[in-house]
Amino acid sequence: MTALIPVTLQAPGFLGLNTQDSAIGIDFQWGLVADNCVFDDTGRISARKGFNKITSSAVTGDIEQVFEYKESATSKRIISSANAKLYEGTTTLTEKQGSLTPSNNDWKFLDFKNKCLAWQAGEEPITKTGSGNFTTIQAGHTDWQASTAYAVHDCVKATSSANPTMYFVCTTAGTTAGSEPTWTTTDLGSTTDNTAVWKTVIIPQGNEALSAYGRVWAVTENKTGIKYSALLDETKFDSGNGGGDIDMLAVWVGGSDTIEALAAFNDRLIIFGKGSIVIYASPNAPTNLAIEDIIGGIGCTARDSVQDVGTDLLFLSQDGVRSFSRTVLQETLPLQDISKKVKDELVSLAASSIATVQSVYSPDEGFYLLRTGMFTWCLDLKKPSQESFARVTRWNGIPIKSMTYASDGTLYFGGVGMIGSYSGYNDIAASYIMAYKSPWVDFSSKDPAVSTRLKIPKKLRATIYGGFAYSITFLYAFDFNSPTTFSVSTPVGTTAATEYGIGEYGIGEYSGGAQAIAQVAAGLGKSGQHLQFGYSVTINGNPIAFQKIDLLMKLGRSIN
């Protein structure tokens, strides 16, 4: 009689999705499917948390942007946009657009000097203080006054037919006329007003802005330039008051590009074009701004994909999620593709839904999330591999439209008319399916001598943590044939899901009274050279993690 050979699959799928390499020749450490799961601190595939609804009464439309406005060290407010309206709150969404009439929801929100500012292409830049409504940034200027003496650098806004995207700065001191002049609407154009002369300054109306180094840096509407504000004053962008501009047309590699995103990193101003990246030194003193490096051939394709992850920046490029890291000793800026194991699928999906790409980084969970249409990609950053790629899983079914990380550690999601948090183990009171499927494995990594032998599995034992009262569907298949499936029920028990942190439930730290479910077992059959193995479980209120799978099998004849 041939003895049964035990094969242990320790934490199957612990390296994450691999849809890039061949489905043959890689091992159980990878997954061809890894849906609705994350990695805990021990490397096990575990169920992700859910979209826990907070909003009590939904509003109309998708929450396309959500942002934490830090009014002060002790006061934080959640701001969101949907259905061409602006909201504050989580449980109750209160309109805050005031008299404004925005036409879209793709705002870039930012904190600046205890205010919340926002930019969106084609819309007047806006601001909000405390619990008040949003108003235009231009409203921060005083109205022009007749027969009034003005000094050089004084600023006013028009009082008749006022354009909410421009203001006027005095370039020649003098006394104004008895009636308001017809203002020149060309940027930097002059208007003579009795003995005073004014210069028109258009507040940039691009789709991107950055609060950094004591200033606001805003992209122009044509996406070829940047205007920066005066120090600690978001209303003034003219050079006389300390503002200025950066013309990128003469800087881009190849002479042509558009600005997609801005970032502050390592005391540098990073300008992401669609096809190149420019790094400026000395942003603390803009008059001394100097180009430090230009990287050609790599750019950013989505504004909201850029995330500061503490020691690095991550962003979506034309060929995947890139790491922008600076090696201080060598003074170089190597760029690494950390999504290379899922690159083709991720890039294809992102390209078809680029306008809706969203991302967030959670230092508590240790992951970077990237939403591309119907899927949200979870890039685990807790244990970077030696090959500089992130372990990736893919979430589906979770109704995320936008996301932000709050200073208290809450990960907020915007959905259809509501805001929720990443918590619990349901998606708005509905279950979801966690699934893993391995590549086709011949066990050559275990023992090269058995790669061509016939495998005859007899028994399966699974060690599982959590997952009380769940039915787990296992599958296995040989040599690219249809799978055989069977279900195993876990014991009935209780877990305190609110105390069960995915990042904390190591074997000795699993809280809530949960216990390992040892040796959930089932008999197997059939045979073949290449084996594929997997499982799925409907998550409905309880967490679950897969520690290991033990297969008992016989070896048959060699297959030529």
Side-chain angles (χ1 to χ4, degrees), residues 57-75:
S57 181
V59 298
T60 302
D62 296 340
I63 304 292
E64 295 185 32
Q65 294 290 345
V66 60
F67 174 76
E68 184 192 43
Y69 159 39
K70 302 175 184 66
E71 180 185 357
S72 67
T74 58
S75 178

Side-chain angles (χ1 to χ4, degrees), residues 79-293:
I79 306 299
S80 57
S81 58
N83 195 34
K85 295 180 179 179
L86 295 155
Y87 294 95
E88 179 181 306
T90 55
T91 304
T92 300
L93 301 184
T94 303
E95 291 187 25
K96 291 294 178 179
Q97 70 271 9
S99 61
L100 301 175
T101 57
S103 56
N104 291 296
N105 306 305
D106 192 27
W107 293 100
K108 175 61 179 287
F109 294 105
L110 52 147
D111 285 318
F112 185 72
K113 210 179 69 170
N114 298 331
K115 300 176 182 178
C116 179
L117 312 182
W119 261 261
Q120 182 175 195
E123 306 271 356
E124 54 262 30
I126 58 177
T127 180
K128 166 182 161 60
T129 302
S131 61
N133 290 331
F134 279 95
T135 61
T136 65
I137 285 178
Q138 185 235 35
H141 291 286
T142 59
D143 287 342
W144 174 90
Q145 299 291 323
S147 304
T148 301
Y150 285 96
V152 173
H153 305 321
D154 284 348
C155 297
V156 298
K157 66 177 184 292
T159 60
S160 60
S161 302
N163 187 320
T165 62
M166 62 180 62
Y167 68 96
F168 310 97
V169 58
C170 185
T171 56
T172 300
T175 301
T176 57
S179 59
E180 188 171 4
T182 300
W183 299 103
T184 299
T185 58
T186 302
D187 193 28
L188 306 183
S190 293
T191 298
T192 299
D193 178 17
N194 195 24
T195 59
V197 179
W198 303 94
K199 177 175 67 176
T200 301
V201 179
I202 295 179
I203 300 172
Q205 288 181 268
N207 204 43
E208 170 68 318
L210 172 71
S211 172
Y213 311 115
R215 303 173 189 271
V216 176
W217 310 74
V219 176
T220 57
E221 194 167 7
N222 60 11
K223 302 175 74 172
T224 62
I226 297 168
K227 287 190 175 185
Y228 57 87
S229 74
L231 187 65
L232 301 179
D233 190 343
E234 75 282 4
T235 68
K236 297 175 181 176
F237 288 83
D238 59 282
S239 58
N241 283 295
D245 62 88
I246 305 171
D247 186 357
M248 298 299 297
L249 287 176
V251 177
W252 296 123
V253 174
S256 177
D257 206 340
T258 56
I259 303 170
E260 298 300 318
L262 303 175
F265 184 67
N266 276 4
D267 295 325
R268 302 293 190 269
L269 175 67
I270 314 300
I271 302 175
F272 291 97
K274 186 165 286 186
S276 55
I277 303 170
V278 180
I279 299 96
Y280 276 93
S282 303
N284 284 301
T287 55
N288 297 326
L289 270 176
I291 296 174
E292 182 176 82
D293 201 356

